[in-house]
Amino acid sequence: MDPLFTPEQLAEIHAYHQPYYIRAAVDPLVRVGLSVLLLSVLVRPVYRGATAAAAALERRFGVLRTAPVSRAFFAAMDRLWGESGWGAAILFALFIDLATQLLYAPATVWFFYVLEHRHGLSNFTPATFAWTWFKGTLVNALALTSLVVGLYGLARRVRRWWWVLGVPVALLMLVASALDPYRSRLYYDQTPLPDGPLRSSITALMRKADIAFADVVVEKTSVSSKRVQAYFAGQGPTRTIVLNDVILQELSPDEVLAAVAHEAAHVSEPRWPGRIASSFALLALLFLIDQLLRLAARRGWWGVQRVGDIRTLPLVSLLVFLLIALANPIAGAFSREREREADRYGLRLTGDRDAFRRMLVKAARVNKMDPEPPRWVVLKGMSHPPIGERLATLDTP
């Protein structure tokens, strides 16, 4: 059987992945160091700057508080926050986030633009890269603003805020995946897969798997990336089979069908235990954050005098990062086992071992997957088994 990669291809793959492995080893230390810098040096001056900026905006645009349309917004925000001052809190959070992004900007550009172009995996132009980065920053800013108003606003006014916030958010998590087909459209255009043999084959395969779906769409990711991709998005009436335009160019119809069969396995997985566990984990996280906010208020860190002071945000971010870092190896182990089962399910569904193997080989070559990554990288939280392991399992009778 032909080797997965030629020696030249393997050398290029190692050259491509080596910087990412170094980053995986160094990044946790960098993030902890950045958090220490924020907490020990920057919290007080950034808070003073945010307060001054909010006061200047209030003087400049204070008329909006009494304008017929906008006054309802300001009144609602004051009620959510419990008093005025929410503008300074939002600006503090955005300033901290901006400072973090600026510090990471050189690495972000190098890894996601320079390195990807160097190894032929990106179609970004400087303009499209900047536009995508801007959209991601804007979405992140909106999410951060919601976090500040929701979490800190409740923490200031309700003693058991973590329960009040956690229960509805946990319930929302159970149904939020129904919005997945629409979120991806923020970044890429999608069009229905044209009628033809491939669409008919996918429809027949899903009928065999007893999986209902709303549509099969082609996502035009080639504007930014040369990687192949297929996935299911949404739930119930919004469930959509998404194929990117690259996979249609690089893989034959039977190989695309094998990729869809693999992804179909994730639809058939028992999802409720994981969702319920995630909901309880969220409640536990919010409870830990509550205890941290109360500790900061008791100790008076950074001038904090009450629960829900925005100056604790970098400390909360550090707590969340550490918990995620500790949970990643466990989550990765479960994810890799699900991917192994998805391979077995997809093979049973198609009954075409040759097409399944060719699909994995082509995906590995196009996406430049490392067939044997360092073991510590796998254990740190890789979501998929190494491609070499998947092929070896597939080739075992």
Side-chain angles (χ1 to χ4, degrees):
M1 188 170 294
D2 293 337
L4 178 56
F5 297 111
T6 66
E8 293 77 13
Q9 290 172 328
L10 198 57
E12 182 185 0
I13 285 172
H14 288 161
Y16 169 68
H17 283 278
Q18 192 62 33
Y20 282 104
Y21 296 153
I22 295 173
R23 182 181 182 179
V26 171
D27 190 59
L29 301 177
V30 173
R31 288 185 178 271
V32 171
L34 177 58
S35 296
V36 171
L37 174 65
L38 288 171
L39 294 169
S40 60
V41 178
L42 297 179
V43 165
R44 292 178 185 271
V46 171
Y47 184 74
R48 287 195 298 268
T51 302
L57 290 172
E58 179 77 20
R59 289 192 298 271
R60 180 68 178 84
F61 301 104
V63 67
L64 294 177
R65 281 191 169 274
T66 57
V69 177
S70 57
R71 66 184 178 187
F73 168 77
F74 283 90
M77 291 296 291
D78 287 344
R79 283 196 297 271
L80 286 171
W81 194 250
E83 58 186 1
S84 60
W86 49 268
I90 292 173
L91 287 177
F92 174 84
L94 294 178
F95 287 170
I96 290 291
D97 182 62
L98 178 61
T100 303
Q101 290 206 41
L102 289 176
L103 286 172
Y104 270 89
T108 300
V109 172
W110 193 84
F111 275 97
F112 296 107
Y113 185 83
V114 176
L115 186 63
E116 295 291 302
H117 271 277
R118 181 178 297 173
H119 293 278
L121 287 171
S122 176
N123 285 327
F124 269 131
T125 65
T128 56
F129 179 78
W131 176 237
T132 301
W133 192 357
F134 172 77
K135 286 192 291 186
T137 301
L138 182 60
V139 170
N140 185 64
L142 292 173
L144 187 57
T145 299
S146 300
L147 170 70
V148 169
V149 176
L151 190 155
Y152 280 89
L154 274 175
R156 294 167 66 86
R157 297 183 294 108
V158 181
R159 178 168 179 78
R160 297 188 183 276
W161 64 269
W162 56 274
W163 184 259
V164 176
L165 179 64
V167 170
V169 171
L171 293 174
L172 182 63
M173 287 171 59
L174 299 179
V175 298
S177 58
L179 300 176
D180 286 346
Y182 309 105
R183 282 196 289 264
S184 59
R185 293 177 189 175
L186 290 172
Y187 297 95
Y188 300 110
D189 292 333
Q190 293 181 352
T191 58
L193 179 69
D195 290 334
L198 179 58
R199 189 180 185 99
S200 298
S201 297
I202 291 174
T203 301
L205 189 71
M206 294 302 97
R207 189 180 302 115
K208 180 181 178 181
D210 195 24
I211 295 175
F213 64 97
D215 201 359
V216 186
V217 300
V218 179
E219 191 168 71
K220 299 178 181 178
T221 64
S222 60
V223 297
S224 63
S225 173
K226 297 180 181 180
R227 289 180 171 83
V228 300
Q229 188 178 34
Y231 63 95
F232 280 66
Q235 293 291 324
T238 69
R239 182 178 293 130
T240 304
I241 302 171
V242 183
L243 309 171
N244 75 342
D245 52 348
V246 182
I247 199 172
L248 297 179
Q249 297 165 8
E250 297 289 344
L251 271 61
S252 64
D254 60 339
E255 293 160 0
V256 172
L257 207 62
V260 172
H262 169 92
E263 296 302 325
H266 298 307
V267 177
S268 304
E269 290 172 352
R271 293 178 177 271
W272 285 107
R275 290 174 179 173
I276 293 172
S278 297
S279 299
F280 279 110
L282 173 66
L283 285 172
L285 173 61
L286 293 177
F287 176 75
L288 286 176
I289 291 175
D290 176 69
Q291 298 304 300
L292 192 62
L293 296 182
R294 295 186 184 282
L295 177 62
R298 288 196 302 270
R299 298 291 179 85
W301 294 335
W302 313 289
V304 170
Q305 298 297 321
R306 61 178 296 179
V307 174
D309 193 301
I310 194 62
R311 283 171 283 189
T312 59
L313 180 61
L315 185 61
V316 170
S317 299
L318 176 60
L319 170 67
V320 172
F321 168 74
L322 292 175
L323 291 175
I324 290 176
L326 291 173
N328 272 344
I330 299 173
F334 279 108
S335 178
R336 291 192 297 277
E337 184 54 40
R338 288 196 300 270
E339 295 299 333
R340 294 185 187 99
E341 179 54 35
D343 282 347
R344 292 189 286 267
Y345 175 96
L347 186 57
R348 290 194 301 270
L349 187 60
T350 63
D352 191 342
R353 184 180 298 272
D354 181 61
F356 209 91
R357 188 183 196 283
R358 283 187 279 109
M359 178 271 292
L360 290 178
V361 169
K362 286 187 179 180
R365 289 174 178 171
V366 174
N367 293 357
K368 289 183 168 55
M369 299 178 186
D370 189 345
E372 295 181 352
R375 189 61 182 165
W376 68 266
V377 173
V378 177
L379 296 177
K380 186 174 181 285
M382 275 184 61
S383 61
H384 288 61
I387 192 67
E389 176 189 322
R390 294 174 68 183
L391 287 169
T393 301
L394 188 66
D395 290 336
T396 301

